[in-house]
Amino acid sequence: MRHLLNPLDFSVEETARLLDLATDIERNRDKYKDICKGKKIATLFYEPSTRTRLSFEAAMINLGGSALGFSSASSSSASKGESVSDTIRMVSCYADICAMRHPKEGAPTVASLKSRIPVVNAGDGGHQHPTQTLTDMMTIRSLKGRLDNLTIGFCGDLKFGRTVHSLIESLVRYPNVKFILISPPELRVPSYIREDVLEANNIPYKEVTSMEESLPELDILYMTRVQQERFFNEAEYLRLRDTYILDKAKMALANKDMLVLHPLPRVNEISVEVDDDPRAAYFKQVQYGVYVRMAIILTLLGLDKEVQ
Amino acid sequence: MLNVGSIKEGFVLDHIKAGKSMEIYHYLGLDKLDCQVAIIKNAKSNKMGHKDIIKIECPIDVINLDVLGYIDHNITVNIIHDSAIVDKQKLTLPKSMKNVLKCVNPRCITSIEQELDQIFILTDEKKKVYRCRYCEEKYNKL
Ligand SMILES: [Zn+2]
């Protein structure tokens, strides 16, 4: 049985097939509307993330299936001390596939070892969030037409932003990709990204502090929010949060076909005045997220070959 | 030729890097076994200058050789039967280890579900990097 725990679980070829399927779903919604009839997805959310949970549930419902689950640890048997292994054994009897979000890293892997149904990691602490990464890749591929020959800027919290790390690890597999890492010195990418991912693969990159200077070079600008819970001290948070805000004036410096991505929700790092700019792709990302999750459900359930 | 001494049935760990024997003693859990153990420190060695040796009188399957491979795969394991060396076992870097190392990542699922086996996987043989099976955090070498 196949699970999706890490975005690198899918090879470049498998990723291409998955994104092709997602694109076909986008273009031919009707073809897929009953393919999961009678199937259920369990959304096991040990911490709330309404956005991600609804995206999984909408994906299954769009395929003709249904959804069940819980949306926080306190509303689940975990509050009575049940282990992830026991919960997944129980859920395996009720559902055909599950999406698990957990504040602890590796919880979905633990579940996959005991599960009789495919497990999708819907975010485990600071570790992985593969459906977000695949959504980012679909957004880039759909709007740019390629995943190679790109200069991608990441901006904001590059130290703790797991979406940034996962996307870098996924994109280094494509030819001629360059990175510009824009952050305050305190929030640079961790050393393993520099050494084990970028340098180990001879990927050109630079680390800079100025967003303005980098903007003209970019094909993609991936913005992240600076999360308050990462900081011990409020003053430091406020100082850094406001360092990198994308507004209309900065957008004027960028290429006319640069895309702005953001994993959402945003706080104030993208000014609302940018929302109407045709280069703002972050709300389209949400729509692509549903198509990608539909493609993932079909692939893991072995139904991807059903519709031709 | 190695002097097996008083061991009749058991094994001798030879070519331990000088000073490392006590660490191995603890890693192998020899402090918890009630068999006879002799530790020889700073023995003269032609190959190594100085070395440590551990002699253990117990059945070979009591000891987790994966742990030894992890600590130092250059250690020689001599198996003793009837007071003579009957076999030498080669050590390799184990592909995975169960309940030897402990994940120290406070965000790891093993930090709240303590009944889970602590499993570490060899992810980089050259650099001897092991990662937690669950959270993938690197284990920082001894
Ligand atoms: Zn761990």
Side-chain angles (χ1 to χ4, degrees), chain B:
Chain B
M1 186 64 200
L2 179 74
N3 179 14
V4 169
S6 58
I7 298 230
K8 279 193 79 168
E9 300 292 325
F11 51 100
V12 174
L13 308 179
D14 197 7
H15 303 114
I16 299 170
K17 219 186 260 166
K20 280 275 182 188
S21 53
M22 284 314 288
E23 200 178 288
I24 288 169
Y25 178 80
H26 289 292
Y27 256 96
L28 291 178
L30 298 179
D31 48 337
K32 291 175 201 94
L33 294 179
D34 51 6
C35 56
Q36 192 176 302
V37 177
I39 295 175
I40 298 156
K41 288 181 69 175
N42 294 320
K44 284 217 171 68
S45 160
N46 293 337
K47 260 204 302 195
M48 310 169 67
H50 286 94
K51 65 179 181 181
D52 287 3
I53 303 168
I54 302 178
K55 302 180 179 187
I56 306 158
E57 184 122 39
C58 78
I60 189 91
D61 56 358
V62 171
I63 298 297
N64 184 344
L65 290 177
D66 281 352
V67 181
L68 271 186
Y70 169 68
I71 298 170
D72 183 357
H73 63 275
N74 294 315
I75 294 171
T76 312
V77 181
N78 300 294
I79 299 171
I80 313 298
H81 179 61
D82 265 344
S83 305
I85 296 174
V86 293
D87 197 11
K88 283 181 193 277
Q89 194 135 359
K90 260 212 135 359
L91 293 174
T92 51
L93 210 51
K95 295 272 175 272
S96 72
M97 281 185 283
K98 194 164 152 184
N99 297 328
V100 175
L101 309 176
K102 198 171 173 332
C103 185
V104 295
N105 176 5
R107 299 175 308 277
C108 179
I109 184 68
T110 58
S111 70
I112 54 164
E113 295 203 0
Q114 277 144 17
E115 70 287 356
L116 287 167
D117 283 326
Q118 293 273 351
I119 299 172
F120 277 77
I121 313 274
L122 180 64
T123 56
D124 186 336
E125 200 161 341
K126 256 201 216 122
K127 291 188 193 154
K128 241 181 134 173
V129 175
Y130 283 85
R131 287 182 186 275
C132 171
R133 169 82 177 84
Y134 312 113
C135 72
E136 298 183 275
E137 186 93 345
K138 228 186 239 183
Y139 187 82
N140 287 320
K141 185 67 186 82
L142 309 164

Side-chain angles (χ1 to χ4, degrees), chain A residues 197-244:
Chain A
V197 181
L198 295 168
E199 282 157 22
N201 291 291
N202 295 315
I203 306 294
Y205 75 97
K206 51 185 176 182
E207 293 186 287
V208 299
T209 53
S210 161
M211 178 154 48
E212 283 91 338
E213 279 169 28
S214 314
L215 276 168
E217 297 179 55
L218 301 179
D219 298 309
I220 310 277
L221 173 62
Y222 195 100
M223 296 290 296
T224 64
R225 71 182 173 281
V226 177
Q227 285 175 284
Q228 185 155 16
E229 59 264 33
R230 303 296 187 201
F231 291 89
F232 295 111
N233 154 342
E234 170 126 26
E236 197 195 9
Y237 165 72
L238 290 174
R239 179 177 68 81
L240 291 174
R241 186 190 66 175
D242 295 337
T243 315
Y244 299 98

Side-chain angles (χ1 to χ4, degrees), chain A residues 138-172:
Chain A
M138 178 169 185
T139 307
I140 296 171
R141 204 183 75 150
S142 298
L143 299 176
K144 278 281 174 200
R146 63 181 194 275
L147 287 166
D148 50 15
N149 296 298
L150 291 169
T151 300
I152 301 146
F154 288 93
C155 180
D157 174 3
L158 308 188
K159 184 175 183 183
F160 297 104
R162 72 178 161 196
T163 54
V164 172
H165 309 158
S166 296
L167 189 54
I168 293 175
E169 286 181 277
S170 292
L171 290 174
V172 296

